[in-house]
Amino acid sequence: VRLLELLDAARDEGVISGKYVAIARAMEVSLARLVGVKLPINIDGATAAVYCELGFPAALGRGLFILSRSVGVLAHAYEQSTLSERIKGPMPPSVPYSYVGPAHRNLDGAS
């Protein structure tokens, strides 16, 4: 399911008005016409539409974006720390990768 379809469903249920979702959809259509390829709106665009629908001032947009992305980065970092291998990849051979942080520590019983 595309993000705008989810936003449209929220509009249809009366959760949001849909004014900004309509703007996002129009941008998606216009961009497709301009470049000749359908490029669906990404999560950042959909999130911006939701914030606008909820009445957040535009000045809060960047902070809300950073806050939501920070949660995702934290989750990825935690997941990565629990594995013995990278969760992202594969990386091109031209990108060297070697961990340079502290050695693995046993924290059982640490205070």
Side-chain angles (χ1 to χ4, degrees):
V1 176
R2 291 184 5 198
L3 291 170
L4 286 176
E5 290 170 350
L6 292 173
L7 294 176
D8 287 342
R11 178 203 59 216
D12 294 346
E13 293 297 319
V15 177
I16 57 177
S17 70
K19 173 183 175 182
Y20 296 100
V21 172
I23 292 169
R25 185 174 294 286
M27 289 172 55
E28 190 177 61
V29 170
S30 295
L31 185 59
R33 283 189 198 134
L34 181 68
V35 299
V37 177
K38 188 173 185 176
L39 298 171
I41 193 166
N42 64 10
I43 187 65
D44 303 324
T47 301
V50 168
Y51 292 150
C52 290
E53 296 288 357
L54 294 173
F56 284 97
L60 290 178
R62 180 171 287 193
L64 290 168
F65 167 80
I66 291 169
L67 181 61
S68 62
R69 282 297 176 110
S70 297
V71 172
V73 168
L74 178 61
H76 281 292
Y78 176 75
E79 182 180 11
Q80 181 71 54
S81 72
T82 63
L83 302 173
S84 61
E85 57 190 41
R86 292 182 291 168
I87 59 173
K88 297 288 183 182
M91 297 297 286
S94 61
V95 177
Y97 176 81
S98 61
Y99 179 70
V100 295
H104 181 72
R105 300 174 290 154
N106 182 355
L107 300 177
D108 292 336
S111 55

